[in-house]
Amino acid sequence: MARVLMCPPDHYDLRYEINAWMHLENKPDLPLAVQQWQRLYEQVQRLAQVELVSPAPECPDMVFTANAGLIVGEKRVLLSRFRHPERQPEEPHFRRWFEEHGYTVYTMPEDCPFEGEGDILWAGERYLAGYRKRTEMCAHRIAAEYLQHEVLSLELVDDRWYHLDTALFVLDEHTVVYYPGAFDPYARRVIEEHYNTLYVIQEEALRFACNSVVLGNTVLMPEGCWLLKSLLERKGYEVIPVPMTEFIKSGGACKCLVMFLER
Amino acid sequence: MHTELITLEGHIIDSLTLSKILDILVAAGVDYEIRSFRIGKSHDEPSHAEILVIAPDEQSLQRALHEVQQHGAVISQEDANLQPAPQDGVFPEGFYSTTNLETFVRIEDTWIPVERIEMDCGIRVTRNETGWRAECVPLHWARQGDLFVVGSAGVRVTPMPRREAESVFHFMGSEVSIEKPKTRIVQAVARAVRETKLKGQKVLFVGGPAIVHTGAAPYLERLIRSGWIDVLFAGNALATHDIERVLYGTSLGVALETGVPETHGHEHHLRAINTIRAAGGIRQAVEKGILKGGIMHACVVAGVKVVLAGSIRDDGPLPDVITDTVRAQDAMREAVQGVGVALMVATTLHSIATGNLLPASVTTFCIDANADTVIKLTDRGSHQAFGIVTDCAFFLKELAGELCGKE
C-alpha cells in the first residue's frame, strides 16, 4: 500500500498572489475548502496509508504537501527550496516533520529553486521534471544525483500550468496523461518519445484534470473533467471526481494536496 | 378489394404529414377514405386521423402501406404476422424489410420496440420468460424456424423528428453543402460530438487513407488521445498508411514533410505491413514498442474499439483486418451499439457500409472533398446524414481546435 503525506487545511487561506490563479478578491470559501479536503482525505485513506503534518498558522499554502519535497530513496528526502519568499516559511515545518519521522533531509543550494513533487514526478523507469516557472534546471541535475535515475527536463511555457503536476500525471509506468499546451515543442517530443500518451483538452486542463492522484487502478480527479473521466473509465480505471473549487483558487487540486512517501 | 385502416397522430397538419401521406397514397395508385378526423385545437394539441386505404390487390396495398408507415402512419390494430424462416439464411416469403427508423411491432396487443434497428434487414421475434422480444437481423443471421414479421400489418415506424428551427444544423439543411461557411459547420459538428459524449453515447469515426495522405493524421490522433473518439472503422489502407507514416515518414512512398516521393518509397507500405505481421498485430506492435505513434497507436493507448474491414485490393493485409466481409459487417454491427454520432471522413465504401448499419437516430456527418460520396450515402437511405464538402485536413484541424482547444 502506498504511503502519502497530507496537511489538514486548518490555516488554508489566500493571502498573497504568486501564480496566475490567485486573486485576492477571489478568496476561497474556507468551510467549503475544509469539506473538499475532507472528501479527498477520505478517498485517499481508502487506498493509501495517510500521514499528517500539523499545519502552521503562518503558512496558508502548507496544505499543498506535494511541494514539501521529493522522496529520493528509503527514508531520504530532498527538501524544497521555494522560489517565492511567501512560501519559504513552510520549509522548516516540513523539515521538522521529516526529521521527526526518521528521514535524512537533503537541501538544494540557495540559488536553486526547487518545489518538490510539484515539479519532479516518478514516471516508471525515470523521472519527469518541469522547469522555468518554479523549479530551475539546476535542481533537476542535483535531484538526478540523489535519485540515481534519469531525470528528463520539460519546459513549462504557460503561467497557468506553473508546476509540472498541474499539466501532467503518470497513469502507469508507460502512460502519461498531459495537456500539450503547457509545454514547449521539445518537451512534447520528449514525452511522446518515451511514453504512450493521452491528452487533456484545454477546458479540462483549466479544471486541473492533470492534477489527479493515481492510486493503483483508481484515479482521484478534480470534478468537472468528464471527458478525461470517460476516457480513463473506458480503459478500465475507476475515476472518483472530487470537488476542488476552493483549492483551484490558489492554483492547486488533488495532487497538490498529496505527497507520495512510498509508492 | 384489399383494405387496411391506418391512423395518423401528432402535429400532422402543421408538419404537412397528412398531405404527404395522401399524396403518397395517390401516387401509389391506391384509393382512400378518411374515416375520422380530429384537429388539435391549439398548437401543442395533436390531431388524429383514421384513413382506410383501398387497393386493387394485396401487393399494391402492401407497397402503399410500407411507404406511408415511414411517415408515421400506424396500420390498424392488428398483430404482426409471424412466419418461420424456411431455412438457414433465408427469410420467409413476404418478410417485412426494415428501414433505419425507430420501429415497433405489435404482438399480443403490445407494441414492442425493435432492437438494433438498421436498414435492409428482417425483424426476428422471440419469446422468453420476460415476454416478447423483437430484433432487427441481417439475412445471414436467420435460422430455420426463427419467427419473422411478414407484411406491414402490426409494424409501426416513427418518422424522423422535424429539425427544429433553432437547431444548430438548421442552416445546413440535409443538402450537401459546398458554399456554406465551413468554420461554422465545423463548430456545429463539434457541438454535436460534445453533446453526444455528455449524454454518455459513443462517437464513431469512419476514416479513409486520405486523412494520412493529406497530413491530417496528427489532428485525428489528437482527437483520439483526448478521448473524443470511442469507435474507429477503417480499412487496411488507413491503418497501413498511418503505420507507414510512423515507421518511415511517408504515405504511399511520398515523404509527408517535403511532399517528394522517396527512392523505393513505394515499398514502404508493404514493409510496414510486414513489420506489423511479424509483431502479430497492431496491439502487439504497440506493446513491443515497435509502433510508437500515429492513429492506430493512439487507438490502442486510448482504448478505442477499432474495426478494420478488408477489401479485394488490399495489400498484406494487416493481421487486424477482417477479410471476411460478412464477419466484418457483424463486427461493425456490434461496435455501433450505443453510438450517438458518426463522423465519416474521406471514405466512400466504409461510409456506405456504416450508413447501412446505423439507425436513423444517429446524427451522421459525411465529410469528403467529393460531393458524390455524400450524395451516394443519402441516396442509399441514410437521410439523416449531413454532407460537408471540404478537405479532410481542414476539417480535422478545425475540429481538433474546437474540441481540444486551439494550440
Side-chain angles (χ1 to χ4, degrees), chain B residues 189-325:
Chain B
V189 176
R191 217 168 312 153
V193 168
R194 181 182 296 271
E195 282 166 12
T196 301
K197 291 288 286 179
L198 273 169
K199 276 191 272 181
Q201 294 176 324
K202 293 179 188 168
V203 176
L204 164 66
F205 191 95
V206 187
I211 293 167
V212 182
H213 303 327
T214 57
Y219 309 123
L220 176 55
E221 227 180 294
R222 196 168 155 214
L223 289 165
I224 293 169
R225 280 171 200 259
S226 305
W228 289 112
I229 312 289
D230 298 279
V231 184
L232 175 77
F233 289 172
N236 191 51
L238 174 81
T240 296
H241 295 302
D242 170 60
I243 293 165
E244 176 194 341
R245 173 180 73 94
V246 176
L247 299 182
Y248 295 97
T250 60
S251 180
L252 261 182
V254 176
L256 281 161
E257 297 253 307
T258 59
V260 177
E262 289 197 354
T263 322
H264 302 299
H266 64 283
E267 298 169 358
H268 287 174
H269 77 283
L270 206 60
R271 295 189 187 284
I273 292 169
N274 195 50
T275 302
I276 303 300
R277 287 174 75 96
I282 294 170
R283 171 173 293 280
Q284 291 86 333
V286 170
E287 281 164 1
K288 289 175 186 165
I290 298 166
L291 185 63
K292 291 182 165 184
I295 298 166
M296 303 319 294
H297 171 268
C299 287
V300 173
V301 174
V304 170
K305 168 79 191 158
V306 177
V307 180
L308 300 178
S311 82
I312 193 73
R313 55 154 196 251
D314 287 345
D315 285 322
L318 292 165
D320 308 70
V321 172
I322 304 173
T323 50
D324 175 338
T325 48

Side-chain angles (χ1 to χ4, degrees), chain B residues 95-394:
Chain B
F95 68 93
Y96 176 84
S97 168
T98 58
T99 66
N100 59 359
L101 299 165
E102 187 185 26
T103 304
F104 297 82
V105 295
R106 190 181 169 90
I107 297 167
E108 292 177 351
D109 296 334
T110 311
W111 289 104
I112 295 159
V114 178
E115 295 163 32
R116 312 165 67 111
I117 193 74
E118 63 177 276
M119 65 172 91
D120 302 330
C121 288
I123 299 173
R124 179 167 64 191
V125 175
T126 48
R127 190 190 181 114
N128 59 17
E129 52 295 351
T130 55
W132 290 97
R133 222 183 121 190
E135 56 177 337
C136 180
V137 300
L139 261 175
H140 69 278
W141 288 17
R143 289 289 161 268
Q144 186 175 5
D146 283 357
L147 286 180
F148 281 87
V149 175
V150 170
S152 311
V155 180
R156 187 174 74 194
V157 175
T158 315
M160 287 280 284
R162 230 174 5 138
R163 285 171 183 146
E164 296 293 326
E166 62 273 22
S167 149
V168 286
F169 308 115
H170 177 67
F171 71 95
M172 291 164 65
S174 58
E175 302 286 302
V176 176
S177 78
I178 297 172
E179 292 172 345
K180 300 255 169 73
K182 296 273 158 52
T183 312
R184 262 197 73 199
I185 292 174
V186 180
Q187 283 167 357
V189 176
R191 217 168 312 153
V193 168
R194 181 182 296 271
E195 282 166 12
T196 301
K197 291 288 286 179
L198 273 169
K199 276 191 272 181
Q201 294 176 324
K202 293 179 188 168
V203 176
L204 164 66
F205 191 95
V206 187
I211 293 167
V212 182
H213 303 327
T214 57
Y219 309 123
L220 176 55
E221 227 180 294
R222 196 168 155 214
L223 289 165
I224 293 169
R225 280 171 200 259
S226 305
W228 289 112
I229 312 289
D230 298 279
V231 184
L232 175 77
F233 289 172
N236 191 51
L238 174 81
T240 296
H241 295 302
D242 170 60
I243 293 165
E244 176 194 341
R245 173 180 73 94
V246 176
L247 299 182
Y248 295 97
T250 60
S251 180
L252 261 182
V254 176
L256 281 161
E257 297 253 307
T258 59
V260 177
E262 289 197 354
T263 322
H264 302 299
H266 64 283
E267 298 169 358
H268 287 174
H269 77 283
L270 206 60
R271 295 189 187 284
I273 292 169
N274 195 50
T275 302
I276 303 300
R277 287 174 75 96
I282 294 170
R283 171 173 293 280
Q284 291 86 333
V286 170
E287 281 164 1
K288 289 175 186 165
I290 298 166
L291 185 63
K292 291 182 165 184
I295 298 166
M296 303 319 294
H297 171 268
C299 287
V300 173
V301 174
V304 170
K305 168 79 191 158
V306 177
V307 180
L308 300 178
S311 82
I312 193 73
R313 55 154 196 251
D314 287 345
D315 285 322
L318 292 165
D320 308 70
V321 172
I322 304 173
T323 50
D324 175 338
T325 48
V326 176
R327 226 166 48 76
Q329 277 180 10
D330 279 351
M332 289 162 74
R333 228 168 233 128
E334 207 46 57
V336 300
Q337 302 310 314
V339 165
V341 69
L343 306 177
M344 303 179 169
V345 180
T347 166
T348 310
L349 282 180
H350 291 271
S351 294
I352 293 171
T354 308
N356 289 344
L357 302 173
L358 289 176
S361 55
V362 175
T363 309
T364 303
F365 297 98
C366 184
I367 297 94
D368 206 291
N370 185 343
D372 291 352
T373 306
V374 182
I375 293 164
K376 260 186 200 149
L377 191 69
T378 48
D379 280 355
R380 279 160 201 258
S382 297
H383 300 294
Q384 80 273 21
F386 296 102
I388 303 165
V389 178
T390 191
D391 172 55
C392 65
F394 167 82

Side-chain angles (χ1 to χ4, degrees), chain A residues 191-256:
Chain A
I191 297 168
E192 293 296 332
E193 275 174 21
H194 291 86
Y195 294 93
N196 291 329
T197 56
L198 296 171
Y199 300 155
V200 174
I201 61 172
Q202 190 185 59
E203 62 176 269
E204 296 192 357
L206 288 168
R207 291 194 199 112
F208 279 69
C210 300
N211 205 248
S212 295
V213 178
V214 182
L215 287 162
N217 200 42
T218 303
V219 182
L220 306 177
M221 185 182 289
E223 217 170 52
C225 305
W226 60 271
L227 184 65
L228 181 62
K229 178 172 182 285
S230 70
L231 172 57
L232 297 185
E233 283 171 347
R234 197 172 67 201
K235 280 181 68 71
Y237 283 86
E238 180 197 21
V239 179
I240 299 172
V242 186
M244 279 285 128
T245 52
E246 302 318 297
F247 294 101
I248 289 174
K249 288 175 181 169
S250 288
C254 306
K255 176 62 193 78
C256 292

Side-chain angles (χ1 to χ4, degrees), chain B residues 64-80:
Chain B
L65 293 176
H66 186 78
E67 278 285 305
V68 295
Q69 269 187 307
Q70 297 179 45
H71 301 279
V74 177
I75 296 168
S76 71
Q77 296 301 307
E78 278 179 62
D79 272 358

